Amino acid sequence: MNGREHNATKIRIVHVINSFQFGGAEAMLCNLVLRTDRDRFEPSVVALIDDMTVAGPLIKAGIPITVIGMKPGLPDPRGVWRLARHLRAARPAVVQTWMDHSNLIGGIASRMGCDAHVVWGVHHSEHVRGVAKRSTLLTVSACAKLSRRVPSQIVLCSNYSRTHYAERGFAAEKLTVIPNGFDTSLFRPDADARRNVRQELGLRDDEVVFGLAARYDPMKDPGNFLQAAALLAKRHASARFVVYGANMNRDNAELMEQIDALGLVDRIVLLGPRRDVARVHAAMDVAVLSSISEAFPLVLGEAMSCGVPCVSTDVGDASLIVGDFGRIVPRRDPQAMADAWGDMIAMGATGRAQLGQQGRQRVRELFDLDAVTRRYEDLYLKLATGGSSPKPASVSEWRTTAAGGAPAPLTGNA
């Protein structure tokens, strides 16, 4: 029996991802695999690079994980061959790859090693020249050229990504949008967490706390957040700022130099990476996204699920996620960011709480994690059994439905 013959057995799915460092795609992969119906599907995971930072839940659940041992940078032919050999032995019906480098490496290895359907996963949007790595730009260009021959389907996490990748030359007829989903039982309002975390960090109840959850990376534009914080701090003595993510700590000399120059040393708390992100989100008054480029920023949906209103730059599908229950501001505009934060302070604790409750309901209606998981399963089932893949809805249908507050389609074209 080959990998596609699954009439009387489980459908074998191999997920291929760059690594398990902190990130949105890594989180979505873990969520999807953990919720996959194990009576119908047999999932396993391959990590190209040996970084297992967030792989703990999969390991605990007994999900098989194979590490290929590649190094960051351009593809290593030896790693491609090792992956092809692994796929030949695994005989999957579907190979699901995650992010640009895994799409290229996993796609080539799949064609070398097995006859599985390949589903590429896109979790980026635009690649800003001068900021994006040259290896990433080369990888995306290569994937565009191979998109008509290698993948059976290309799943993107946002409508914005679909538009950008179509413009880059990807096969438009294969592009399907399935948004990220959120576990609103994990990410939820939590009065105990709010109280305990704020006590831990020395934050008073009467202070309005703005939180940035992001790694230290030019794409996340932490300078935008810090400049906005400096502007707000001059006008509002009650404003405090908390930053958490990889390299967001006092060991980062470059970051500390910016904070010191802006006079924020006594107004900001740096936490570095946190494993209790849901607790920290719940302790914030306002969640912030300051990025210059995103696809479908998970941090917004997570914070909204915790009942925390958001202020975000206008990147990716941020405006679709936030809707009318937060603020969207231009990229690289600290003054606009600070003004939006000032609006949040002006509405008071009661107004912010009401906005947060409405935002949580929006996430539950539009981006339920179980519903998103079913969409992936439907796609895998139809590919593995020879059926047609789900027909995407139009982007106008998505946005019209979302604007009306009813559940939006979970696939869409732009």
Side-chain angles (χ1 to χ4, degrees), residues 285-328:
D285 292 295
V286 179
V288 179
L289 184 81
S290 58
S291 301
I292 61 174
S293 179
E294 295 278 353
F296 188 100
L298 277 174
V299 66
L300 296 179
E302 291 174 353
M304 291 168 67
S305 297
C306 293
V308 178
C310 297
V311 174
S312 173
T313 48
D314 191 6
V315 290
D317 276 8
S319 61
L320 177 64
I321 300 169
V322 173
D324 295 328
F325 309 119
R327 298 290 186 272
I328 300 295

Side-chain angles (χ1 to χ4, degrees), residues 159-160 163 316-317 320 394-404 408-409 414:
N159 287 302
Y160 193 91
T163 299
D317 276 8
L320 177 64
S394 69
V395 69
S396 60
E397 290 174 320
W398 173 300
R399 287 179 174 157
T400 299
T401 308

